[in-house]
Amino acid sequence: MEFKTSQYILISDPLSGQADDLTSKRMIFSTRKGMGVTVSNYLLQLLESRQFELIPDAMFNILLFHEIIIAADEDELTEIVMGKRMIVKSDEITVGVGFREKSFSEKLDKATSLFDKMRSDLKLIKLEVNVESFLQINPIVNALNEAAGSNIAANVEIQASVICLFSADIYDSDLKTGRIKLTEFHLLVTDLQRSQAVCEWASAFVARPENSGVKLHIDIIFKGNDIADHHAHLLMINALQGIEVKFCYAGNDEGLNASDEKNILRSLSSIALPYDLIPPVSRTFYSPIPASKFVGDDYQMDKTMASINMVGDEKGYFMKRYYDDEIVSELLRRDTACSNCVYMPLCGGRLNKSQEHALDCPGFISNFIEKARLKYKIPLEIS
Amino acid sequence: MTHAIQQKKIKWSSTQLTESNDYVRVFIKAISEYLTLPERQEIYFISKFFVDATVEIKRGHFEYAQHLFQRGEKYMEKVDVASLSGKLLRNVYTRSKSLYYYRSDQYQKAISLVDEALTINIDLEKSGLRFLIFDRFSQLHNLSRIYFSLHQTDKGVDVINSIATTLMTGQSSEYMTDVEGFLDNLNVDGKTMRSSFLCLIITETLNNLFKLSVDETSDGAALFTSTFYAQLTDAVKGFHVLTDIDRQLQEWLQIIELYHRREFDLFQEKSIAYLTSGRAFYGKQPNSIMAGYLMKLTGPLTV
């Protein structure tokens, strides 16, 4: 049996000790699995010199599991692309509808009529309310109630998931949503000054019996180096029972300032917050499509789309797409920078990049090794 | 503690190499005595396709699972079927592929692969890999699930009773033959696996039977619960208690038994005492089952 080392790995600096010491540890991160493993320099040498027969059974299994050791005859890119293609084909289709308060009904109509045409494939419509300005919760709830009227086919199951920026209105709003079953409530906290209020509101929310079937998610977005000032309340929010709390950096898909983020990572290394560093291995990639495609009613959904995020403004639209023939052949011909990028299995790839390739890449790729260190509780800076 | 035990429970097609550390350790140690390193690495490598395939099946990715099976099969073809490597691989393969058939509603194919796996298992156990008896328990557990899916509840219950009897008493039973020295040969890992496997099959089966009796409110379902328990009672008498979990399970079973012996006053007294004492093992599943029994008798317990 012939083996080789995967090309989709990242190797860290030594995590302790001298760089050339054979017992010093490094982390090998597999982007195929989205997981890392720490190994000694000695073991790394064995991998690099392909002396797989000297690797003990237990470690060999771990490296196989991480897909760091693979068959010598495997064409990795083809395997990954074809694998993703097969997987997303059988995944449920979700559509996320982002909207501004006023255009909500219109957008939802459009989304449901699009999905009506392919009803058999539709399992779940997930509504995401994601606005840039502070938003009142009650209009959303009313709109959801209206939307539950006759214009939605009876066999389409709708589970609403509301994302809302934190505002004072939330305190006394009633989340009854009529025929739409509200299953998830996402709260996006972008202003850390409000941490204490969020904490109080969330405790009250989960205590209400009528909210017992609603899963509350709180996403706390760091914009800058303001974590330390509010960390006491952040820790309290994190400790709340029955709530899923996620901490993330504001610079997400849109490109980001890598050095600002590094500062945040430094603050986080001294505060025990479960910062969301490494995303799960992606099954889809994003592809921007022109806004004009959505104008009028003639736009045809096809099965190559997994999800459309209809945030309708000048920025245009982007959508997740299945690995269709066009994308697959582009990747396999190595016509795109993604074909040779070690992050591809993790990020899913994003074709149609600009010349400034890195700017179009998902945010998590920046400072990746630092994030991996933070995740595995390895000291952030090694001199 | 409880959490650790839950993680260790053997699932369908227990992934030989990654799912349970105990199992991996025992597996590697055992095959190291019989196989060279290149042979072992080959087994680890090929098994991974089948193990990964089971993960994808559970996620509903059948096409990808099929692809992984095909890749693994291609490498497996080059291994001599009659060799120890060949048999070990076939062992992993049959259990994974039977899950594939089970989940795609091809029950007869699934059953025949389970049968084949049992034969290979006995063969491998006789050639010295005695710990593979746990694979056999697991295969039979899978078989019972197939019978439950086919609504052949009586057969499913028979299989579970057979596994439970052998696990508890160490004696052979209808489906578990060739078990000489099973209890004597258990090491620490084996004892732990035995305890959690017993908890798994007993709670799972009682839960299934409960669901049947709730859904159909038929006497038939209630009868199955009683039959299951009547057969289990014999096994409980010969239960060799080897771990702390075993002791807790035994104590719990003795209370449940009161219900089936229709000693309702005593059952009510003991079960309320048990449930309010804060005792719990194997997650809290046994507690909720006991509360379910109590519910049948007196309505919900208010503490």
Side-chain angles (χ1 to χ4, degrees):
Chain A
M1 197 70 233
E2 296 287 316
F3 299 108
K4 70 178 175 191
T5 307
S6 167
Q7 71 183 89
Y8 294 101
I9 56 169
L10 297 156
I11 297 168
S12 77
D13 298 335
L15 305 170
S16 62
Q18 297 296 312
D20 55 353
D21 186 337
L22 286 181
T23 62
S24 295
K25 299 272 188 184
R26 287 176 197 261
M27 192 191 66
I28 310 180
F29 189 87
S30 160
T31 59
R32 285 178 64 153
K33 294 287 276 189
M35 294 190 294
V37 55
T38 46
V39 299
S40 64
N41 274 338
Y42 175 74
L43 205 110
L44 201 57
Q45 274 189 11
L46 294 183
L47 279 178
E48 279 163 359
S49 56
R50 299 177 77 142
Q51 290 177 281
F52 301 107
E53 70 284 359
L54 293 179
I55 300 174
D57 291 49
M59 183 48 90
F60 186 84
N61 269 314
I62 290 169
L63 295 170
L64 267 184
F65 177 69
H66 283 77
E67 291 173 14
I68 291 166
I69 294 178
I70 56 169
D73 60 3
E74 180 179 319
D75 176 348
E76 284 192 270
L77 182 67
T78 307
E79 264 312 310
I80 289 164
V81 172
M82 300 315 277
K84 281 176 185 294
R85 184 179 202 184
M86 283 182 253
I87 285 173
V88 292
K89 255 203 259 175
S90 47
D91 271 348
E92 288 183 346
I93 294 173
T94 63
V95 60
V97 185
F99 67 95
R100 286 205 179 83
E101 198 184 314
K102 280 178 188 146
S103 60
F104 173 67
S105 305
E106 187 195 321
K107 283 278 170 55
L108 190 69
D109 275 353
K110 182 167 261 177
T112 41
S113 71
L114 284 172
F115 273 87
D116 246 9
K117 291 176 188 163
M118 42 186 293
R119 187 178 305 172
S120 59
D121 298 290
L122 179 67
K123 294 276 173 58
L124 178 79
I125 295 180
K126 196 174 176 188
L127 303 169
E128 290 180 353
V129 183
N130 192 357
V131 289
E132 281 123 346
S133 58
F134 279 102
L135 187 75
Q136 313 245 318
I137 183 77
N138 287 326
I140 300 177
V141 175
N142 293 340
L144 286 170
N145 285 328
E146 277 172 34
S150 57
N151 58 337
I152 292 170
N155 61 340
V156 178
E157 181 190 348
I158 294 191
Q159 292 181 333
S161 156
V162 178
I163 291 186
C164 187
L165 292 165
F166 189 73
S167 83
D169 289 343
I170 291 177
Y171 284 111
D172 44 34
S173 64
D174 190 356
L175 287 172
K176 277 186 200 133
T177 52
R179 285 174 55 191
I180 293 189
K181 192 172 138 218
L182 187 72
T183 52
E184 291 186 19
F185 191 84
H186 283 255
L187 186 65
L188 226 59
V189 180
T190 51
D191 181 4
L192 297 195
Q193 301 276 5
R194 308 194 68 135
S195 319
Q196 187 178 356
V198 170
C199 192
E200 285 161 7
W201 176 83
S203 327
F205 182 91
V206 287
R208 287 192 194 177
E210 66 267 31
N211 291 336
S212 63
V214 185
K215 177 97 192 136
L216 179 61
H217 302 260
I218 301 180
D219 292 359
I220 297 179
I221 316 291
F222 303 135
K223 276 183 183 151
N225 202 359
D226 50 357
I227 302 156
D229 298 340
H230 304 286
H231 84 270
H233 288 123
L234 295 179
L235 286 170
M236 271 165 66
I237 295 171
N238 188 44
L240 289 173
Q241 296 294 310
I243 298 172
E244 197 169 297
V245 187
K246 228 164 82 181
F247 297 92
C248 26
Y249 177 54
N252 212 351
D253 281 330
E254 294 288 320
L256 52 88
N257 183 332
S259 67
D260 277 358
E261 195 198 27
K262 225 170 217 168
N263 286 329
I264 291 180
L265 294 176
R266 279 202 195 94
S267 315
L268 281 167
S269 64
S270 57
I271 304 168
L273 287 176
Y275 185 62
D276 196 22
L277 297 166
I278 296 165
V281 176
S282 169
R283 288 171 187 165
T284 48
F285 66 85
Y286 291 90
S287 180
I289 51 168
S292 57
K293 271 208 155 187
F294 281 107
V295 178
D297 294 328
D298 56 343
Y299 187 77
Q300 295 291 311
M301 282 287 284
D302 73 50
K303 289 183 182 182
T304 59
M305 270 181 257
S307 166
I308 307 171
N309 197 334
M310 301 213 289
V311 184
D313 59 14
E314 297 72 34
K315 278 182 184 167
Y317 300 81
F318 72 92
M319 64 179 184
K320 290 179 188 171
R321 290 168 68 188
Y322 283 140
Y323 279 66
D324 60 20
D325 290 344
E326 183 194 338
I327 289 151
V328 167
S329 68
E330 205 169 322
L331 282 165
L332 295 183
R333 281 201 313 272
R334 296 182 186 273
D335 278 356
T336 157
C338 295
S339 305
N340 299 311
C341 175
V342 295
Y343 293 105
M344 213 283 282
L346 198 62
C347 72
R350 181 188 276 178
L351 296 185
N352 309 328
K353 287 178 196 296
S354 64
Q355 293 296 314
E356 301 292 327
H357 168 228
L359 285 180
D360 292 346
C361 284
F364 66 79
I365 287 179
S366 303
N367 299 319
F368 191 77
I369 291 294
E370 283 83 352
K371 289 176 189 174
R373 281 190 184 152
L374 206 57
K375 179 159 178 129
Y376 295 101
K377 298 187 174 61
I378 296 157
L380 206 57
E381 277 184 306
I382 311 292
S383 54
Chain B
M1 177 70 184
T2 317
H3 184 62
I5 301 275
Q6 270 187 316
Q7 281 186 334
K8 276 178 192 160
K9 70 182 178 188
I10 302 167
K11 294 177 185 161
W12 181 296
S13 192
S14 88
T15 61
Q16 315 277 9
L17 303 168
T18 55
E19 203 169 272
S20 153
N21 288 331
D22 286 344
Y23 197 94
V24 175
R25 205 168 53 242
V26 174
F27 186 87
I28 291 176
K29 200 172 152 229
I31 69 168
S32 298
E33 291 172 29
Y34 297 93
L35 297 171
T36 64
L37 189 117
E39 286 171 330
R40 294 199 305 271
Q41 292 191 340
E42 186 176 59
I43 288 181
Y44 304 145
F45 170 74
I46 301 175
S47 304
K48 185 177 183 292
F49 289 109
F50 307 139
V51 170
D52 285 354
T54 61
V55 174
E56 298 302 337
I57 293 164
K58 287 174 190 166
R59 292 177 180 158
H61 302 147
F62 285 87
E63 189 184 352
Y64 188 47
Q66 182 72 292
H67 170 75
L68 291 169
F69 276 125
Q70 281 167 2
R71 282 193 70 199
E73 283 161 7
K74 235 171 74 189
Y75 289 109
M76 196 165 70
E77 274 170 17
K78 292 172 194 153
V79 182
D80 178 10
V81 192
S83 68
L84 185 58
S85 289
K87 286 178 191 167
L88 280 164
L89 280 170
R90 191 79 195 161
N91 182 43
V92 184
Y93 176 76
T94 46
R95 58 188 307 143
S96 310
K97 193 81 182 197
S98 65
L99 174 68
Y100 177 83
Y101 287 133
Y102 170 68
R103 287 290 180 95
S104 48
D105 298 339
Q106 304 180 59
Y107 297 120
Q108 289 313 319
K109 280 187 176 172
I111 290 175
S112 70
L113 273 185
V114 170
D115 283 343
E116 186 191 331
L118 291 172
T119 314
I120 300 168
N121 261 324
I122 295 174
D123 193 10
L124 285 167
E125 286 165 41
K126 283 188 175 151
S127 56
L129 296 163
R130 304 192 67 119
F131 75 100
L132 284 177
I133 195 168
F134 279 104
D135 278 35
R136 205 141 50 99
F137 286 124
S138 187
Q139 293 282 10
L140 285 170
H141 181 211
N142 294 342
L143 183 65
S144 75
R145 288 177 175 173
I146 298 174
Y147 285 135
F148 285 126
S149 299
L150 288 170
H151 301 292
Q152 299 181 15
T153 314
D154 47 349
K155 265 189 161 174
V157 168
D158 277 353
V159 175
I160 292 291
N161 273 321
S162 175
I163 317 172
T165 301
T166 301
L167 276 167
M168 285 185 180
T169 63
Q171 302 298 313
S172 65
S173 55
E174 189 183 350
Y175 288 87
M176 282 300 294
T177 56
D178 306 87
V179 296
E180 289 72 30
F182 162 55
L183 288 181
D184 304 328
N185 289 307
L186 284 179
N187 59 11
V188 180
D189 293 333
K191 286 174 189 168
T192 313
M193 287 199 277
R194 169 178 174 260
S195 300
S196 49
F197 195 60
L198 265 174
C199 291
L200 170 69
I201 58 167
I202 291 173
T203 54
E204 187 188 275
T205 309
L206 283 174
N207 269 330
N208 282 342
L209 295 175
F210 256 113
K211 270 181 213 141
L212 270 182
S213 46
V214 170
D215 292 349
E216 301 173 6
T217 54
S218 67
D219 291 346
L223 183 72
F224 279 128
T225 321
S226 289
T227 314
F228 173 62
Y229 206 83
Q231 291 183 31
L232 211 58
T233 309
D234 292 335
V236 176
K237 281 182 195 134
F239 191 4
H240 289 255
V241 173
L242 302 177
T243 67
D244 190 43
I245 299 285
D246 290 355
R247 191 189 49 71
Q248 298 184 63
L249 178 65
Q250 188 185 41
E251 187 188 12
W252 178 85
L253 283 166
Q254 282 163 352
I255 299 175
I256 298 293
E257 193 183 326
L258 294 171
Y259 181 93
H260 289 283
R261 289 215 312 257
R262 306 186 69 82
E263 295 180 29
F264 295 133
D265 292 347
L266 198 55
F267 169 75
Q268 191 183 353
E269 179 194 324
K270 295 227 169 185
S271 58
I272 290 174
Y274 185 93
L275 290 169
T276 49
S277 69
R279 274 178 288 179
F281 65 103
Y282 195 66
K284 287 196 166 171
Q285 291 186 54
N287 290 33
S288 60
I289 290 174
M290 191 185 278
Y293 272 100
L294 200 55
M295 182 101 134
K296 285 212 284 191
L297 195 61
T298 62
L301 169 71
T302 44
V303 185

